[in-house]
Amino acid sequence: MERLAQRKATVLAMDQVPRVTIAQGFDALSSMANIAGYKAVVLAANSFGRFFTGQITAAGKVPPAKVLIIGGGVAGLAAAGTARSMGAIVRGFDTRAAALEQFKSLGAEPLEVDFKESGEGQGGYAKEMSKEFIEAEMKLFAKQCLDVDILITTALIPGRRAPILITTPMVESMKDGSVVVDLAAEAGGNIETTVPGELSVHKGVTHVGFTDLPSRLPTQSSTLYSNNITKLIRAISPGADNFHFNVKEEFDYGTMDHVIRGSVVMQDGRNLFPAPQPNNIPVAAPPKPKTVKELQAEKAAEVSPYKATLTTAGMYTGGFGTLLGLGLSAPNAGFTQMVTVFGLAGIVGYHTVWGVTPALHSPLMSVTNAISGLTAVGGLSLMGGGYTPTSTAETLAVLAAFISSVNIAGGFLVTKKMLDMFKRPTDPPEYNYLYLLPTGVFVGGYGAAMQAGYNIEQMMYLGSALCCVGALAGLSNQKTARLGNTLGMMGVAGGVAAALGYLKPTPELLAQMSAAMAVGGTVGLGIAKRIQISDLPQLVAAFHSLVGLAAVLTCVAEYMLEYPHFATRTPRPANRSPRSSPTLVQPSIGGVERSASSLVASGKAAGVLSSAPLALPGRHVLNASLLAASVGGMVPYMLDPSYATGITCLGSVSALSAVMGVTLTAAIGGADMPVVITVLNSYSGWALCAEGFLLNNNLLTVVGALIGSSGAILSYIMCVAMNRSLANVILGGYGTTSTGTGKPMEITGTHTEVNVEQTVDMIRDAHNIIITPGYGLCAAKAQYPIAELVKMLSEAGKSVRFGIHPVAGRMPGQLNVLLAEAGVPYDIVLEMEEINDDFKAQHRHVAGRRQEDVRRAAGARPREPGPIGGLRHQPSSNHITAEQEAEV
């Protein structure tokens, strides 16, 4: 510097270019560090005794090399990228969170210590850490030295000796043939056994201590260095024709003045080194104290105890007012009794269904579907004639009983098949035939009481309703699930028996009833025996359509039979049966939400219909018009008492509601079919309730409330899991180009593709593994290979668990049943909320998804909730904290 001063020289020092964003193109240190990181891996590979990448050859299998890189600066990241591209398993450590994220983006496994402390420093370097942190990281390094094959260190502290990170005992614990590369050798080295400037061997471990790694790649180093110089000279001079610059003593951080003052160490012979500190150096801003105005605004935003109590009191006031209004408008005492039963049953159903374990949501839907077959009671009540029906209304009633019987028998058998899959070899034997004893007492005792002249139908209805409640409550755990299915059968049997006892049919009519239900039950059993578990969603949806059709047939038959009893003396009769309005409303419920919608949902789930949403122009206006027309159909029905008008209105309303069911469901994408199926399940309950009011039957009202609560709760669970509202799903087509609004979903980060062998190695090296399967597991029938994989990993001493999203299959709990079918223990299959917090501790996360879902998520779609992009589940939340994720 003295000799340069004597010559009045102006000197720019490339190693003094500030490491700020604006100077990245002039940063020679980064350029040389990039080369050093690359060359470090090349030299390590040259000294290493086998391939970097894993290979399987006829001569044997070669495992991939395991590389640990300490320091996530430019050199460390360059080394990580190079080693990863060569096929090695790369792990990276740094005290800075940003550097760990960069390691992850390159496909390396970021390593962290169980100690919270930020290592962010200035000038591109990490700060010196506390004693406690250093002790924790030394333990981590000692553990890693036992496992890795190649170790590369890059840690430097400006102006000081490089810290010792790898001690002699750590080096001696490494496997023979291992290689260590110390990129900090010029500053003393991070490895205690390094000999700076030399290639040495210590206890079988090769040490690369060269201090001139960039010079060992001269052509590339010269190219990058010349580019750095050229860009710096062109940047510091404001004029293109004459080279000149202005050196300032006061400047802001990160500006061009900062770059010039830092780079110019001598001007016209005047020594300017070192440069003064810039102004406005960014530091971690302390939490800004809140102003009084902000505190007052927060306090005002909080709900005060008075306001909270007032809101609650208002809700209760509205509830009591509604009850009083129903009492004042009730047509008779029987109506108020039915409302009482309905309210109590709804509360019981709400609390019972919330107790069902998520793994048994599929059996829950199946058993409620079977119980909803109690619509057969309505058909039986309207049947007449002898061995055969004698009128159109009686024929419709026979069909309703037949269709309902298909649902009852098929639903209970499907439920039994699913629950049997959860059996384990260690489970105790079962003696379910013993439940014939209480069933015999229940049904036989009623028959004996009826013969003795006692009318105890209401007690039979109560017993049947309690059995149906027990059917749902039994699904709260695996041990009582099969008992729950048995209780459901007992409840339905008691309900049908009570209906027959109340009707007291002739022997000929009883034979007709028995034949209708027997044939229907046989058909249902045949369907259930042949069904595959992968086809369960479309079967449940199809069964929904049967119950909806049975409800429609019952209501039309009811009108035909009861019409002669309706008063017709005035245009607007005052004494018309109070059941006439529900008779009209019932087909609307059955037509819209059951038959047509269920058939479309079944077709989409089965792949018969396209899973893409049908975006009809102005479909919302069309649906609103259909709804208005359906409601408007009540007006002539209520005003004109003629039979022709009544039956025409019933047929028209049913047809309009069926069309609306098709347009509503067709506009919903296949990925949303799980929610649609549960909504239809819920509507089946409310349809059954309406039939209970229609027939003044407490059993149908109670069971309908249970089923309605079940479907509503399952729909709510899935909508919450997708971050969507129920209206958003039912309106259909969300996320398509016709309805998508908002900013498209941004894809951030860098993905790294791995082949099968690399995925196998990743899983083999892990100890804690979570598998989150999607519908692809069902579509590919991959549950058996997955079960075999779980068995192999468990035998190898690894912890394997499953995380199931509520809408991962085509209906709630479908994947649980599939895994149980393959023999996967149900106690390692957990729901989203049970396992989401555990991803932080996992070594591997394997996510299986369908190609169509990945393609749709990659396209332009709204950030707001959607079938895939908006899912609130592992892939969008906690799973990214696992050490490694493989998506297949």
Side-chain angles (χ1 to χ4, degrees), residues 652-716:
S652 301
V653 169
S654 298
L656 290 171
S657 58
V659 172
M660 187 167 72
V662 172
T663 57
L664 276 174
T665 311
I668 302 174
D672 290 331
M673 281 304 107
V675 182
V676 174
I677 292 174
T678 55
V679 169
L680 293 173
N681 182 257
S682 177
Y683 285 162
S684 72
W686 310 130
L688 204 58
C689 278
E691 189 167 346
F693 277 84
L694 175 68
L695 301 175
N696 197 27
N697 189 305
N698 287 337
L699 174 61
L700 298 185
T701 303
V702 172
V703 172
L706 292 176
I707 298 172
S709 300
S710 170
I713 290 173
L714 292 180
S715 302
Y716 170 80

Side-chain angles (χ1 to χ4, degrees), residues 364-378:
L364 171 65
M365 292 191 64
S366 182
V367 77
T368 54
N369 201 43
I371 293 173
S372 66
L374 279 172
T375 48
V377 172

Side-chain angles (χ1 to χ4, degrees), residues 93 95 113-115 117 129-143 164-165 167 170:
F93 175 83
T95 59
V113 298
D114 190 16
F115 190 93
E117 181 178 345
M129 308 302 290
S130 66
K131 178 181 178 182
E132 293 78 10
F133 186 94
I134 293 175
E135 291 176 354
E137 72 174 4
M138 295 297 279
K139 291 180 180 178
L140 174 65
F141 296 157
K143 182 179 179 181
I164 298 296
L165 302 179
T167 62
M170 294 182 193

